[in-house]
Amino acid sequence: MTTQRGFTLVELVIVIVVLAILAVSVIPRLTSISGYEQTAQRDETIGLLRNVQQRAMQNTQSNYPTCHRVLFLATELGLAAQQIGGECDTGLASSSGAIDDFNLVSGLESYTALNAGGDSISSLDFNSMGVPSVNTGSCAPGGCRINFGADAVCIESEGYIRVCP
C-alpha cells in the first residue's frame, strides 16, 4: 500500500482562514486611513454637530449671549471657545486645559467643509432654532457638506444633520 503525502482539506481551509484574518486586520493598518476610521470620524462629527445644535436650542439665557459655533481647523474640528462677553473665540473650547473629547474630532488627515455653493467654510454657528449659518455663503438651498473621503455629513438649511448618501 502506498501512502500519499499532502495536506488535508481541513488543513488547507484553516490556512486560508488564518490568512484572511491577517489580511483583514493588518492591511488597513498599513494604509494611511481606513474606511472604518473615516466612518468613525463621520459619526463623531454628527455627534458633535448635534451636541452644539442642542446646546443652542436649549439656551435660555436671553440676556447673556453664548457661543454655539463649530470650528473647522486643519486636522480637527470642534466647539469654539467662548470669551467672557459671550462672543466666540478663535480657538477650541477646553476645560482645565484638556479638550473635552465629545466636543472635538481630531486626527483628521483630510476633510472638506463646504457650503451650498461649494465654497470652503471655516466655522458653522447654530441659532436658537437649530438653524445653521456659516462664515462664507450659506447652507441654503442645497445644504452644507463635510466630506471624509467616501463618507460625508450633510447639514440641511433647516438644521437637519444626517449622513449623506
Side-chain angles (χ1 to χ4, degrees), residues 79-111:
L79 177 66
Q82 182 170 316
Q83 297 176 352
I84 299 292
E87 294 84 24
C88 294
D89 195 17
T90 56
L92 297 175
S94 65
S95 60
S96 306
I99 302 293
D100 294 330
D101 57 355
F102 61 88
N103 288 329
L104 176 71
V105 180
S106 60
L108 301 172
E109 288 188 13
S110 66
Y111 75 97

Side-chain angles (χ1 to χ4, degrees), residues 41-71:
Q41 290 169 347
R42 179 202 67 199
D43 292 344
E44 288 176 24
T45 301
I46 290 173
L48 167 71
L49 291 169
R50 288 179 179 167
N51 181 22
V52 175
Q53 184 184 44
Q54 288 294 320
R55 285 181 178 199
M57 292 168 57
Q58 294 175 359
N59 183 22
T60 58
Q61 301 174 356
S62 59
N63 59 345
Y64 185 76
T66 54
C67 176
H68 304 290
R69 176 177 294 165
V70 175
L71 295 177

Side-chain angles (χ1 to χ4, degrees), residues 21 23 28-30 52 60 65 69 75-76 78 90 106-107 125 135 138 150:
I21 290 171
R29 293 174 195 248
L30 299 176
V52 175
T60 58
R69 176 177 294 165
T75 60
E76 59 191 3
T90 56
S106 60
D125 293 282
N135 64 323
S138 72

